[in-house]
Amino acid sequence: MGFYNQSVDISVNVWKEILQDKRICTDQVLQILSFLYQSEGYGASAGLIAVSLNYVHHAPLNRIIPDFSKRILKNYPFINPPIRENGSIRYWNLPFLGTDGEGNFIWILRPEIIEAMNYVFPDLKTYQNTLFQEIEQFKESSTSLQETTRETIV
């Protein structure tokens, strides 16, 4: 099982610029990034992303993400992209870390993108925030149920 975490040295501030530049970060890209941002562990397979975003197949994602990376490299030529052993650029690896999952390859948002998204999209909920809210709501409803039950008995 491989884990792809080659450094790209893109700061949080540069990711903030990228996320706000519609010429680089299209609506399609933002949909994918947002989906991953809201996913457990900030990652998912291309197949799951495709189904969740109503693509017929994951193949379009394999075009959208490399095109996104190419736009980044064109506008930020100082960025050193992840390189394969054969010398070619691993475009998907610019915005994502990756790992071979159980039968699926998992794209994982880079920590710097997560931090930039926290800033640029403060109202966008992460999986962790949503889970925390659900736990708090459960606690509140559980407490309310206990009080109602106590009042009924007394």
Side-chain angles (χ1 to χ4, degrees):
M1 175 154 84
F3 186 72
Y4 299 85
N5 63 346
Q6 189 175 352
S7 175
V8 293
D9 292 326
I10 303 176
S11 70
V12 172
N13 286 333
V14 170
W15 278 117
K16 287 177 189 177
E17 290 175 18
I18 291 168
L19 291 171
Q20 295 177 84
D21 188 335
K22 296 239 181 249
R23 295 171 302 124
I24 300 172
C25 194
T26 65
D27 289 342
Q28 288 178 315
V29 171
L30 278 177
Q31 271 190 317
I32 295 165
L33 297 179
S34 296
F35 179 82
L36 290 171
Y37 184 76
Q38 295 175 45
S39 297
E40 183 176 5
Y42 302 104
S45 69
L48 178 60
I49 297 166
V51 168
S52 300
L53 298 180
N54 297 316
Y55 288 94
V56 177
H57 191 269
H58 71 271
L61 304 180
N62 293 335
R63 184 190 90 277
I64 293 167
I65 294 304
D67 288 350
F68 172 52
S69 295
K70 289 173 186 175
R71 289 189 299 273
I72 292 170
L73 294 172
K74 180 180 178 188
N75 286 276
Y76 296 89
F78 61 87
I79 293 173
N80 294 315
I83 304 292
R84 292 184 176 89
E85 289 179 17
N86 68 6
S88 64
I89 296 174
R90 194 181 309 114
Y91 288 106
W92 68 264
N93 199 195
L94 191 69
F96 306 132
L97 305 175
T99 186
D100 299 320
E102 296 174 11
N104 292 309
F105 192 83
I106 307 298
W107 285 343
I108 305 164
L109 285 178
R110 287 186 175 272
E112 298 83 3
I113 296 178
I114 295 167
E115 192 173 334
M117 289 182 77
N118 285 334
Y119 177 82
V120 176
F121 308 109
D123 295 332
L124 189 61
K125 300 287 186 218
T126 65
Y127 174 82
Q128 288 76 4
N129 289 346
T130 302
L131 187 60
F132 181 73
Q133 280 183 323
E134 288 174 2
I135 290 169
E136 288 303 310
Q137 288 172 350
F138 176 76
K139 285 180 182 177
E140 288 172 12
S141 66
S142 179
T143 301
S144 176
L145 180 61
Q146 288 173 359
E147 290 171 0
T148 303
T149 304
R150 189 175 311 121
E151 288 172 7
T152 303
I153 293 172
V154 175

